[in-house]
Amino acid sequence: MPHGHDHGHHHHHAPGHVTHGSGSILLDIGGDMGALIIHARPEQNELEIEISPGTGGARTHNQVHARQNWSGTSYSAVFPSVAAGEYVIWRDAGTPETSVTIRGGEITEHHWS
């Protein structure tokens, strides 16, 4: 399982929102809370993606949704408020996709391979 930075994700330092359909998702970040956006392909719409702390523990999931933005439609799963730390993104129940570092006050993005 990879650790540290890879080219599949990056960080943003400014808070913001993500458009979802006709509404927006408020990202609750700051202090020791960050957000994770996992970009996916159109055929992965409605796929449930799980993450868990890198040290083990309970998994949480979110679903890929089509999101309208200024450049058209994109597909992503958004975890709007995640405690800072190392996390595993799971491809399926037993296969990790990658690991990412969530930093307080930042948005981490990963592009599903």
Side-chain angles (χ1 to χ4, degrees), residues 14-66:
H17 70 277
V18 176
T19 303
H20 175 258
S22 61
S24 294
I25 295 173
L26 179 63
L27 302 179
D28 185 12
I29 63 176
D32 65 349
M33 301 301 287
L36 174 62
I37 300 173
I38 301 173
H39 299 280
R41 296 181 302 275
E43 62 271 16
Q44 294 168 312
N45 192 34
E46 299 188 12
L47 173 71
E48 281 197 1
I49 297 177
E50 293 185 323
I51 65 171
S52 65
T55 57
R59 293 184 184 189
T60 185
H61 68 272
N62 214 320
Q63 195 170 41
V64 172
H65 291 288

Side-chain angles (χ1 to χ4, degrees), residues 57-80:
R59 293 184 184 189
T60 185
H61 68 272
N62 214 320
Q63 195 170 41
V64 172
H65 291 288
R67 301 175 197 282
Q68 303 302 314
N69 56 50
W70 61 271
S71 63
T73 302
S74 63
Y75 295 84
S76 60
V78 178
F79 294 82

Side-chain angles (χ1 to χ4, degrees), residues 83-95:
E86 293 291 320
Y87 287 84
V88 175
I89 300 172
W90 293 94
R91 179 168 285 286
D92 58 37
T95 310

